[in-house]
Amino acid sequence: MTATIALVDDDRNILTSVSIALQAEGFVTRVYSDGEAALKALVDNPPDLAVLDVKMPKMDGLELLRRLREKSQIPVIFLTSKDDELDEALGLAMGADDYIAKPFSQRLLIARIRAILRRTEALAAPVGEEPAQEVQPVLERGPLTMDPARHKVTWKGDTVTLTVTEFMILETLAQRPGIVKTRNQLMDAAYQDDIYVDDRTIDSHIKRVRRKFRQVDPEFDAIETLYGAGYRFSDE
């Protein structure tokens, strides 16, 4: 079944170019130029996923997501200003599934959309019925539990909310505790389809993951940095 993606942005150029790129990948698209116009449509006729810009007139993306979450749990990706951690933190706290900083690669956006839709499909599969794609088993490493099918992470029983990218990076590290993963290896896991990103982007993701875990456990130190080599996960 063809997935429908809603795009909400006051930049007409972004709406047009991203819509064309998504349609070329087989998606159906709906476009909205402001949050007020989008809200009713997203509630009355929910798409499979929505991409929301944060900075918009009338109703910004954060307010749109807040009001949307009162009535719908459709997956949401935020488009944020570069390095705007406040927007990211607020959006994830209100229920966004991932965020991408502008300017962004359309290939990266499409990869993130596909990753979220795969996880949504697995989560929606009826109990006892296997989803269309093979689902990885729950991963347990010491106090860490990761459920890829449900995109759920807990540390010592407390939930830690990660974006899709952060989840993939942590999963790659936790699959082989004690083994050092280079930035390139982590990029390959998190950014598929030959998408190029600066390797320092991985450092930023690791920083955010650590911060999120330390919000539930100030003593969290399971992700170790090996300067000049990469990162490793310790379950000791």
Side-chain angles (χ1 to χ4, degrees), residues 212-226:
K212 290 177 179 181
F213 274 85
R214 285 169 183 163
Q215 288 173 350
V216 301
D217 179 7
E219 303 301 319
F220 175 82
D221 62 355
I223 299 177
E224 302 175 347
T225 301
L226 284 87

